[in-house]
Amino acid sequence: VLSFVTPQLTTEFFPYVDKDLFYIDIKSELPGNIEATEKLSDQVVDILSSEPEISSYTVAIGDGMPKFYITMRPATPSKDFAQMLIKFDLGDEKDRRFHSRDEFATYIQDLLDKKITAGKCTVNRLQNAEPQDAKIIIRVSGSNVERVDEFTRQLTDKVREVEGTLNVRNNLKPYTFQFEIDVDSDKASSMGMTKYDIQKQMNLALYGYDASVYRRDGKEYNIVVQGNIEDTTDIETFMIKSSLTENKIPMHSYSEVNLGKKLDNINRYDR
């Protein structure tokens, strides 16, 4: 009997635990904002509350759940992170909607992918060994960072379309958006403005500087001088004093304020 049964059994190195539970890692798109994380967690609860198979849940916001299984990795505390433990019951074999725990976990992952837009939710099942980063890893590399970024996002979307894939993700870092001041050098020079004038005075207005020190009762306190710039209009109307002519001219006369993006760090492999 064994000679016929054994070849038909599926094999898996460190399979999933035979328990009716899984946990969801919830990552908000707003770093450092625990209120946004709590709101996102509430949204996940609302979505899953209508699923009859789910019997109970517990949510930890700003940290992971206490370690309830030996192979579960501890979470790093963060204001943009939450974790949700879910217990479920698939019901009788004849009447159940899902034939396996994998099928139910895949359904929940697809459901969250479609309805959650303010962050990322990852459904995890417990394993009999410490979980790997992924069972299949595709490495994309190249000399053009923007092209690597574009291709990786396209590849991620294509792989997600493959039936049976779960938790398809990449390690791309999000772009940071910032306002950039584009100075017309020729126009600025004709008005007596130097790059040094513009850069120094704009930095002082935005970030301030220690103008002096206030001493009292043996203690010293820095006196910081800083501008009151709050939006792009304040930048455009900010008056820069020329070190050559001593005239003050608004920024919009020789520059434009545009929204740009930058990549804070670049992933490298083998240097």
Side-chain angles (χ1 to χ4, degrees):
V1 176
L2 290 177
S3 62
F4 290 95
V5 174
T6 303
Q8 298 178 32
L9 296 177
T10 58
T11 58
E12 185 175 0
F13 192 60
F14 294 133
Y16 292 116
V17 175
D18 191 23
K19 292 181 179 292
D20 290 335
L21 58 85
F22 54 75
Y23 63 97
I24 302 175
D25 291 334
I26 303 172
K27 189 76 172 179
S28 172
E29 66 179 4
L30 298 176
N33 190 329
I34 196 167
E35 288 80 11
T37 307
E38 183 176 7
K39 184 177 180 181
L40 178 62
S41 301
D42 291 340
Q43 186 179 357
V44 174
V45 170
D46 291 340
I47 293 172
L48 300 185
S49 60
S50 60
E51 300 301 325
E53 290 80 8
I54 295 178
S55 56
S56 66
Y57 63 86
T58 306
V59 182
I61 299 174
D63 200 350
M65 301 293 300
K67 190 172 183 178
F68 57 88
Y69 199 77
I70 190 170
T71 60
M72 184 177 176
R73 288 179 177 175
T76 302
S78 177
K79 291 183 178 181
D80 57 0
F81 177 78
Q83 202 168 63
M84 183 177 186
L85 172 64
I86 292 179
K87 295 182 180 180
F88 60 90
D89 183 4
L90 297 180
D92 297 332
E93 292 188 8
K94 294 182 180 180
D95 301 328
R96 62 174 57 174
R97 290 195 300 166
F98 306 97
H99 300 291
S100 66
R101 298 181 181 92
D102 279 342
E103 186 179 352
F104 182 53
T106 302
Y107 165 78
I108 294 297
Q109 183 67 66
D110 291 341
L111 184 66
L112 294 175
D113 288 343
K114 292 176 182 178
K115 294 191 175 184
I116 295 296
T117 58
K120 177 66 178 176
C121 296
T122 305
V123 178
N124 304 287
R125 286 194 59 197
L126 295 176
Q127 293 180 252
N128 281 309
E130 185 173 342
Q132 304 294 317
D133 289 337
K135 295 188 177 182
I136 298 177
I137 298 176
I138 302 174
R139 182 172 290 112
V140 181
S141 61
S143 58
N144 188 321
V145 177
E146 292 186 356
R147 177 56 183 150
V148 169
D149 182 278
E150 178 186 5
F151 178 77
T152 302
R153 296 182 192 278
Q154 293 175 355
L155 180 62
T156 302
D157 293 337
K158 288 293 183 181
V159 175
R160 282 177 178 153
E161 296 174 0
V162 178
E163 184 177 357
T165 55
L166 181 67
N167 291 342
V168 180
R169 58 196 183 276
N170 57 57
N171 62 349
L172 293 176
K173 303 299 181 182
Y175 280 95
T176 299
F177 291 90
Q178 61 183 9
F179 288 108
E180 299 174 347
I181 301 176
D182 297 326
V183 178
D184 187 328
S185 299
D186 294 336
K187 188 177 293 186
S189 297
S190 66
M191 298 180 181
M193 289 293 174
T194 66
K195 289 184 177 180
Y196 177 78
D197 294 334
I198 300 171
Q199 184 174 357
K200 179 183 178 181
Q201 295 178 49
M202 183 54 65
N203 283 338
L204 295 179
L206 291 173
Y207 307 112
Y209 74 104
D210 295 341
S212 184
V213 176
Y214 173 68
R215 296 179 178 88
R216 182 176 181 179
D217 298 333
K219 295 182 179 180
E220 294 185 351
Y221 304 91
N222 291 331
I223 299 176
V224 180
V225 177
Q226 187 175 356
N228 60 347
I229 293 179
E230 296 181 352
D231 52 35
T232 55
T233 302
D234 292 339
I235 295 177
E236 293 171 345
T237 57
F238 185 72
M239 307 291 285
I240 299 291
K241 183 178 180 180
S242 170
S243 58
L244 300 177
T245 64
E246 296 189 353
N247 293 328
K248 291 184 177 182
I249 303 175
M251 288 284 294
H252 65 76
S253 299
Y254 48 82
S255 66
E256 292 182 353
V257 180
N258 300 310
L259 185 64
K261 65 179 182 178
K262 69 171 184 175
L263 201 58
D264 291 329
N265 56 353
I266 300 173
N267 296 317
R268 300 184 183 275
Y269 175 73
D270 196 16
R271 289 191 263 177

